[in-house]
Amino acid sequence: TAKMSLTYLNDDPEALRKILSSDVPWETYMTARLITDKDLNFIRRYDKRTEELRASMLDENGPAIVEAFLSVLKAVTKEETVHYVLALLIQMLQENPARAKLFHQQSEQHLANAPEPYMVFLRLLQRVDWQTQEHSAKLLTAIIEARPKKSSAFANGILAGDQSSASVAAAYGGPDPAEPHISAFIDWLVAQLRRPSNPTKSVPLATSILSCLLKERGCRQLFLRSGGVQVLPPLIKACNSPTNSQLLYELCLCVWQMTYTQAGAEALANSGATKALVDVARTAQKEKVFRIAMSSLRNLLGHEELGLAADMVEAGLPKVVATRQLQAWGDDDVVEILTFMDEKLKAGIAILSNFDKYKKELMSGSLEWSPMHTSDIFWRENIDKFEDKDFLVLRHLLKLIESSREVKTLAVGCNDLGMFILHHPQGRYIVGDLRGKELVMRLMAHPDPEVQKQALLCVQKVMLTRDKLEFLGSAA
């Protein structure tokens, strides 16, 4: 499709010209039976011609010419020849990106054994020289994007390899025939992000390609499966400078596309994406970089079950939003995102400041029946924070229940322990491990009736299984 601008195909024209100025001894490959005389005929008529002449040949015999070059790549190992053919194919797509569909069309010449484009280029990715890897990766991307039989299953993020989704894939008309090849390619791209084979070019190339491929939901699932999501936040941190604005934009574009899947958003949140994106929003000089970082944060905030508002507040996003709202923006979307984030983060600040208040109250050694102790919203939003520093806040609470002499503090403390058990998925086990059950059971015999009552309610929660607790929570 002509909509593909194929920015990843941008190649140094001078470097391409240099490769294409050499001469390839095509006849020797025919003599050695590596290519057929028909292939040779197409290659000789195409090679070294003007752009107009090449264009008319491709209109007439496009699939056969592409097959002839694929046959060379399949059979010939000589590096100079491989470089030459790859450069010719890159040039062909640069002149007209819609020609990528030729790789998927069969000519009369190779009806018995047409070379299979995916395998040819995936094999070339295993070669050690960077030029072969780079050009093969670019061509493979164009071929994947231009494939004619894109399956509905893949478009909906349903993979053939997942046992649970085999029947679902069938309902969508079967898996995508290219899926195993796309999967192998994404694994290679993620490996380039982790251990670049070229110190300066691997990461920009792999990022640029992924930012195109991740438009497809199936590719997002494959990227997730390959562990690629976890690699993005550290890369964003490492690349966050104005000199890297294009790379930074494409890395954030990958993140943004992954925020549309629940599992992707979760993996991003767990690997430091929030802070990395806030840092980009703080320092970005280009509007498009700022917009994509903020759009990613907005999407992450939309996954409310992840509770990331407080993390964004801690990372300093409200100040970034306030500062950026003073700027003039050419894009109305940016203004709208800033207004939306400003409102959402105010709620996050309220939640965060509540937890800070709670910690302060706990450290003071004296607890009062303020609203947060009985507020389900407070406990739901802050329950994860109790895990910080090996459950430090929870340990302080237990210490208070064990040693306080104040009747009200003991009653509120038992209530809080019950709220922790109710809202934390592993609450009763964690409290059990920290000897909380024994401490509260002791208070059931306390002379004060309010302490007795709260201790009894808390012990009930310690004893109840998760499903009963959930019923209790919904009834509360």
Side-chain angles (χ1 to χ4, degrees):
T1 50
K3 73 172 173 53
M4 297 186 296
S5 58
L6 308 194
T7 49
Y8 52 81
L9 281 176
N10 293 345
D11 222 272
D12 175 8
E14 199 40 56
L16 272 186
R17 250 197 305 278
K18 195 174 170 200
I19 299 166
L20 294 173
S21 65
S22 58
D23 289 306
V24 176
W26 302 114
E27 283 79 3
T28 56
Y29 298 131
M30 194 198 76
T31 314
R33 303 275 173 96
L34 294 173
I35 55 173
T36 65
D37 54 348
K38 281 180 179 167
D39 286 337
L40 176 67
N41 191 24
F42 279 119
I43 290 168
R44 280 167 66 181
R45 280 170 49 209
Y46 183 88
D47 189 23
K48 308 286 186 204
R49 303 297 173 202
T50 63
E51 187 176 335
E52 292 72 25
L53 204 56
R54 289 199 307 274
S56 71
M57 277 192 70
L58 287 166
D59 289 342
E60 204 179 322
N61 290 300
I65 292 166
V66 166
E67 283 168 6
F69 286 123
L70 286 176
S71 300
V72 175
L73 290 175
K74 199 174 171 186
V76 177
T77 53
K78 192 176 180 213
E79 198 171 273
E80 291 81 357
T81 305
V82 170
H83 286 177
Y84 190 92
V85 173
L86 291 173
L88 266 182
L89 293 172
I90 293 269
Q91 178 195 55
M92 175 186 91
L93 293 187
Q94 279 181 344
E95 288 166 358
N96 181 356
R99 290 173 182 159
K101 68 177 185 290
L102 295 174
F103 287 94
H104 299 283
Q105 293 168 3
Q106 207 167 3
S107 76
E108 305 291 307
Q109 305 300 320
H110 291 269
L111 284 176
N113 58 344
E116 207 279 315
Y118 297 111
M119 291 311 294
V120 171
F121 294 110
L122 282 169
R123 210 184 71 245
L124 289 172
L125 289 178
Q126 306 313 316
R127 300 277 288 255
V128 290
D129 72 290
W130 172 249
Q131 196 174 299
T132 299
Q133 289 179 20
E134 181 182 22
H135 283 170
S136 300
K138 289 177 173 185
L139 290 162
L140 202 43
T141 309
I143 292 166
I144 289 168
E145 288 207 307
R147 70 192 191 282
K149 295 192 188 83
K150 292 186 181 178
S151 89
S152 307
F154 194 79
N156 281 282
I158 298 155
L159 301 183
D162 297 349
Q163 292 309 308
S164 59
S165 59
S167 57
V168 187
Y172 274 102
D176 196 308
E179 187 189 309
H181 308 305
I182 300 173
S183 179
F185 185 36
I186 286 178
D187 286 347
W188 182 85
L189 292 166
V190 171
Q192 286 298 317
L193 294 179
R194 289 183 196 278
R195 289 176 300 282
S197 56
N198 182 296
T200 56
K201 294 178 178 174
S202 285
V203 171
L205 177 77
T207 304
S208 183
I209 289 175
L210 283 163
S211 71
C212 293
L213 294 182
L214 293 176
K215 290 198 289 275
E216 292 192 60
R217 286 189 197 169
C219 290
R220 291 175 196 171
Q221 293 301 327
L222 291 170
F223 186 59
L224 202 54
R225 203 166 70 181
S226 70
V229 177
Q230 289 80 346
V231 185
L232 295 173
L235 276 174
I236 288 174
K237 278 190 192 119
C239 299
N240 190 5
S241 83
T243 51
N244 288 329
S245 63
Q246 186 56 25
L247 173 56
L248 199 55
Y249 172 71
E250 287 174 349
L251 283 166
C252 290
L253 191 55
C254 292
V255 166
W256 176 70
Q257 293 179 101
M258 292 311 295
T259 59
Y260 283 95
T261 72
Q262 169 66 34
E266 212 166 303
L268 286 165
N270 293 335
S271 50
T274 306
K275 187 172 184 324
L277 289 165
V278 172
D279 288 343
V280 172
R282 185 181 291 113
T283 57
Q285 291 180 3
K286 285 211 156 82
E287 186 169 315
K288 69 173 187 176
V289 176
F290 175 72
R291 187 182 62 227
I292 199 74
M294 286 302 291
S295 300
S296 303
L297 286 165
R298 179 188 187 152
N299 285 0
L300 286 170
L301 204 51
H303 292 274
E304 287 183 4
E305 68 291 341
L306 297 177
L308 294 176
D311 291 357
M312 291 179 194
V313 172
E314 277 182 51
L317 188 56
K319 191 176 175 196
V320 174
V321 169
T323 311
R324 295 289 196 168
Q325 279 181 311
L326 304 173
Q327 280 177 244
W329 296 100
D331 186 340
D332 289 344
D333 283 355
V334 174
V335 180
E336 192 262 323
I337 290 171
L338 284 168
T339 310
F340 173 84
M341 294 299 271
D342 190 31
E343 287 164 15
K344 278 283 189 191
L345 291 170
K346 281 187 176 124
I349 292 168
I351 291 160
L352 189 71
S353 55
N354 273 344
F355 191 69
D356 286 340
K357 272 187 222 155
Y358 180 80
K359 276 200 298 194
K360 251 186 211 130
E361 190 184 354
L362 202 58
M363 299 311 168
S364 75
S366 191
L367 301 177
E368 295 284 334
W369 280 113
S370 57
M372 63 187 162
H373 293 282
T374 52
S375 157
D376 276 324
I377 292 172
F378 169 80
W379 287 93
R380 217 177 19 248
E381 294 282 4
N382 290 294
I383 199 69
D384 288 352
K385 298 198 188 67
F386 281 87
E387 296 181 7
D388 291 352
K389 297 183 181 155
D390 193 23
F391 295 95
L392 185 65
V393 173
L394 183 64
R395 289 171 193 276
H396 275 297
L397 177 61
L398 290 167
K399 192 90 190 122
L400 216 50
I401 291 169
E402 183 178 24
S403 58
S404 177
R405 297 276 175 268
E406 292 176 20
V407 172
K408 194 184 283 181
T409 296
L410 290 173
V412 176
C414 288
N415 165 81
D416 287 5
L417 196 59
M419 290 298 250
F420 173 81
I421 294 164
L422 193 59
H423 288 91
H424 195 288
Q426 307 297 322
R428 59 198 285 251
Y429 303 111
I430 294 160
V431 169
D433 286 348
L434 296 174
R435 288 184 40 256
K437 184 175 157 188
E438 293 91 316
L439 295 176
V440 184
M441 284 183 90
R442 212 181 295 158
L443 290 176
M444 283 167 69
H446 194 279
D448 182 84
E450 183 61 19
V451 174
Q452 271 183 34
K453 177 187 157 190
Q454 293 300 334
L456 176 64
L457 288 169
C458 183
V459 168
Q460 282 176 345
K461 288 171 186 159
V462 173
M463 300 300 197
L464 288 175
T465 54
R466 186 87 211 132
D467 54 341
K468 301 236 175 38
L469 267 178
E470 278 167 2
F471 174 74
L472 195 66
S474 62

